[in-house]
Amino acid sequence: MFRYAILLLVAFVFSPALALADDVLSVSLDAYTVTTVKGKVNFLPADEVKPADIIEYRATYKNLTKRPIGGVIGVVPIPQGLTLLSKSTVPADAEASLDGAAFSKIPLMRDVKQADGRLKRVEVPLSEYRAVRWGIGVIPAEKSKIVTLRASVNSN
């Protein structure tokens, strides 16, 4: 199930970017399972995952031109069945979305009506986040920038 979600994720996010005129920017997404053994962090391709696995997504944006490219925005969707891990986005100043369209700074907040009728501002659970984006800014000529996030595979 999750293998299919990862493949769908690549097609959804990156097909439009790969179609840019004159091959200006290449974008690739890699997914790794993250394990720690005796204090050493290991990364293996996330071909198959199971509940409680930690997945790291790395999106690489490479400038294929001989001039800087500005205004690059990176977006990585978070498939159903995965929960974004707190403070796992790199760079840290990311925005998130519940629907893949409207983005706000992390943590996302919402108003919840209390029993007495008053509204209380609360954090949205990370399990409801469906996408993360970054303002990558300028990518120098023939260089790359990478953004990452980690998510855990839900047990249900």
Side-chain angles (χ1 to χ4, degrees):
M1 174 179 149
F2 290 105
R3 183 174 186 193
Y4 176 77
I6 291 169
L7 295 174
L8 180 63
L9 176 67
V10 173
F12 173 76
V13 174
F14 300 110
S15 292
L18 292 173
L20 287 174
D22 302 322
D23 293 324
V24 173
L25 184 69
S26 76
V27 184
S28 64
L29 178 70
D30 296 302
Y32 300 93
T33 55
V34 181
T35 58
T36 304
V37 178
K38 296 183 181 179
K40 182 181 178 198
V41 179
N42 299 300
F43 299 93
L44 296 172
D47 296 329
E48 293 185 30
V49 298
K50 60 187 179 310
D53 278 355
I54 304 299
I55 308 300
E56 179 170 293
Y57 289 107
R58 294 181 199 157
T60 304
Y61 296 80
K62 182 173 183 176
N63 179 351
L64 301 174
T65 72
K66 297 193 180 298
R67 58 179 169 51
I69 297 175
V72 178
I73 295 175
V75 178
V76 177
I78 302 169
Q80 283 292 121
L82 296 179
T83 297
L84 178 69
L85 294 180
S86 178
K87 300 180 183 176
S88 72
T89 62
V90 177
D93 62 339
E95 296 179 323
S97 174
L98 302 178
D99 62 6
F103 287 84
S104 295
K105 286 286 187 191
I106 297 173
L108 297 179
M109 304 295 286
R110 73 165 52 119
D111 292 326
V112 176
K113 192 172 188 176
Q114 303 299 297
D116 64 5
R118 290 186 296 157
L119 293 178
K120 180 179 179 182
R121 195 118 177 107
V122 299
E123 285 190 23
V124 175
L126 294 171
S127 60
E128 294 183 31
Y129 288 29
R130 295 286 57 98
V132 173
R133 80 175 178 189
W134 297 261
I136 295 174
V138 175
I139 302 177
E142 300 178 328
K143 298 291 182 186
S144 298
K145 288 197 177 180
I146 298 172
V147 296
T148 66
L149 67 80
R150 289 185 182 177
S152 62
V153 179
N154 299 341
S155 58
N156 50 4

